[in-house]
Structures are given as C-alpha cells and as structure tokens.
Amino acid sequence: MSEQTTTDNGSSAKKNETILSGMQPTGSLHVGNLEGALRNWVRLQDEYWMYCCIVDWHALTAEYEDTRQLKANVFEVAIDFMAAGLDPEKCAIFIQSEVAEHAELHLIFSMLITVPTLTRLPTYQEKKDTLDSYGFLGYPVLQAADICLYNAHKVPVGKDQAKHIWLAADLAKRFNFLYKKTFNEPEALFTEVPLILGADNRKMSKSYDNHIPLEYTDKQTEKRIKSFYTDPGKLRKGDPGHPEKCPVFLLHQIYTPGAVEDIAPPCKSGQLGCVDCKMRLVANLNEALAPVREKRAELVRQPDYVWDVLATGAERARQRAAGVMDRVRRAMKTDYRKAKK
Ligand code: TRP
C-alpha cells in the first residue's frame, strides 16, 4: 500500500484522505467491537488510506505490572481484525510499540498541553483514584500522537472518544500555529450503530464479563445468550414485554431481518416468550458469525503469517511516520544538521 499507487483490487477510487483507527489489545474481541467498530473499519478500508493500530502502550497504562498476557492479547486482536475482514493488502495493521515515532511525537505534544486540561477530562476523572500515573494522565496525548503521526484526516470512534479526538485536533492546531502548518486537524467519524449491551444490560465489555467473544463456539454463544437480562416484568410466556428496554431485542435488530415487525409485536403481546426469542437470536447470531469464526480458526493455525502481517504493517506505518516526523523536525527547527541556518 503506497499513497502514490492504487491497490490491485480495483479500488483506485480511494479518497486521498487517511484514517487512523486504534484499538487496545484486550484479547479476543466481541460482538460489541465487531458491530460497533470493525464492520465500519472494513467498509472504510476501501475508501481511505487506512492505518489500524493495536495500541499496546495504551494498554500498559492499566496493565503495566503484569505484561505476560500482552503478546497473546495482541495476537488475538490481530486475528480478530482479519477475521472481521480487514485486509492487510488494503490497510496497514500494526502494533503501536513497533513504531517508535509514536513515543517521539507524544513527547513533543506533551509540551503543548497543560496538566489541568488533561485532569479535567472525564476519562481521567473516572479512573484517577485507582490509576494516577504520569503515563495514564498522558493517555489522550499519546492518542493524539497516534493520529497525527499519520497526518490522519478522520478517526472512526465511538461517542465516548469525542473529547480525545477534539484534543488531538487542538494539539494539531497548536503545533501548526506555533511552528508551521504541518498537521491536518483530525475529525471523529462516529459510527451509526445502536449501543450494544451485554448480558447484564450494561455496555458490552470484556471487563464486565457480559460479552459474546468472537472466539466463542455456537454452544458457548447459546449459553451466554440464555444468561442475558430480559425485561424483569416478563417472567413467563404470556406476560407482555418491552422490547425497547431489552438487550436481546437490540441484538435482534442487528441479526434478525425484520425484527421490528416479527419480534417486537409478539413480545409485546406476550405470544413470544423470552426463551424462544433468545433461541431465535442464537440461531441468527451463530449464522452471522460463522464466516468470522471460520476465518479466525484458520488464522489461529498460522501464527507465523499473522506476525508477518504485523511486521509488514509496521514497516509501512514507519515509512509514513518517518516522513511526518521529518516535517515536524523541520517545522520546529530541530533538524539541526540539515537546517540551512
Ligand atoms: N482510546 C481509544 C479507546 O479506548 C483507543 C485508541 C488509542 C485510539 N489510540 C487511538 C482510538 C487512536 C482511535 C485513534 O477506544
């Protein structure tokens, strides 16, 4: 993938814009990641120059003490990216720490932002009682470096990341103002998906253990769906339900064509019981995930190939990053030997 040439799959219609997307290596991804992010990234790889970064340094902000899981988690995320349809021919898939320039730009950006700006962010406020390291405070600055290092125009994220993208744009603007116009001001590209809730009716998340991992078998998926929260007022078939408040119905809306006409009315009237409703979801969900799971199983058997993809991705990312960092040094007049005076 190079900026000058077109890809050989006929997708020469790529906009001349760059996307940077990032995800923490939390291990096997789940249905929430798939429907909330990855499906969208897969569409975007045909339209934009795309860099998909597995942000292992960001994961270190919380997991610095025990790093033994990191390698396995990075691997799982890489295979889930590809199983979902990210194509290493169309986008660069790479590990953040393999492109040292992320740390370099992070350091420079850290000069351009005040501590109170960072301590005010809700993401910091939420965790500061348990996590108050220098590195955690700088989490959004590193994220801004991830984005600006590729001079990205757009960043596909969930709404919870809006402030971080705004902060990246602000840092880009400030750098441009102080030194020389170097960076695009990146914009968030919000995904239009309903919030995906997990078994306990909270946001689906591995940390809540309410998720449906892509690596689950059909049987494990069935067990998880059976454990899902449903309308507490609907105890048995015949009781009227409230699909608009039910996390199972949210998933039906994604996986069951015609859910609004076929699932909601019989749930409301009581004709459709929760057990039957869940079993219909299980069948549709397993069918939709089958190709992802197949591809995943295939990749698990080829670890060398997966690590090669990540090495090639890092190579491409480094090329792009090196060009941007040259411009950064020129703008700041820290390209001492090359500078004219
Ligand atoms: N903060 C993001 C999250 O928690 C992860 C992330 C790190 C990211 N760097 C990024 C997302 C760059 C987009 C772009 O989801």
Side-chain angles (χ1 to χ4, degrees), residues 20-24 41 53 55 58 96 139 142-144 146-147 155-158 160-161 164-165:
L20 180 287
S21 51
M23 201 179 281
Q24 286 205 28
W41 296 11
C53 185
V55 294
H58 277 107
Q96 182 186 38
Y139 181 112
L142 180 57
Q143 183 167 351
D146 296 341
I147 296 164
V155 190
V157 284
D160 61 321
Q161 293 290 311
H164 288 180
I165 308 307

Side-chain angles (χ1 to χ4, degrees), residues 1-5 7 14-24 37-38 40-55 77 81 86-96 98-99 101-102 143-157 165 184 189 309-325:
M1 189 183 80
S2 103
E3 300 247 342
Q4 282 77 39
T5 56
T7 49
K14 283 203 198 207
K15 295 186 181 65
N16 209 10
E17 289 195 345
T18 300
I19 284 197
L20 180 287
S21 51
M23 201 179 281
Q24 286 205 28
L38 291 178
N40 191 38
W41 296 11
V42 169
R43 272 194 300 276
L44 294 170
Q45 69 182 345
D46 289 321
E47 292 175 43
Y48 295 88
W49 302 107
M50 188 145 127
Y51 294 84
C52 300
C53 185
I54 303 175
V55 294
V77 170
F81 276 6
L86 286 178
D87 178 349
E89 298 290 323
K90 295 185 190 171
C91 63
I93 305 173
F94 67 100
I95 304 170
Q96 182 186 38
E98 295 196 328
V99 184
E101 285 86 349
H102 287 256
Q143 183 167 351
D146 296 341
I147 296 164
C148 292
L149 188 56
Y150 302 92
N151 225 341
H153 301 82
K154 300 211 169 83
V155 190
V157 284
I165 308 307
N184 298 314
L189 205 62
V309 164
L310 291 171
T312 309
E315 192 53 49
R316 289 177 186 159
R318 272 197 296 271
Q319 270 175 27
R320 168 86 174 211
V324 174
M325 284 314 295

Side-chain angles (χ1 to χ4, degrees), residues 117-183:
T117 305
L118 291 170
T119 53
R120 271 197 300 268
L121 290 171
T123 39
Y124 175 77
Q125 287 295 329
E126 265 164 38
K127 292 199 185 149
K128 69 169 197 293
D129 295 332
T130 48
L131 201 57
D132 202 9
S133 68
Y134 177 51
F136 179 61
L137 180 66
Y139 181 112
V141 185
L142 180 57
Q143 183 167 351
D146 296 341
I147 296 164
C148 292
L149 188 56
Y150 302 92
N151 225 341
H153 301 82
K154 300 211 169 83
V155 190
V157 284
K159 290 251 155 66
D160 61 321
Q161 293 290 311
K163 283 224 164 72
H164 288 180
I165 308 307
W166 175 84
L167 194 129
D170 210 52
L171 277 164
K173 207 184 297 181
R174 184 141 173 79
F175 184 99
N176 292 345
F177 169 76
L178 285 173
Y179 308 113
K180 188 182 178 195
K181 166 103 179 71
T182 304
F183 295 113

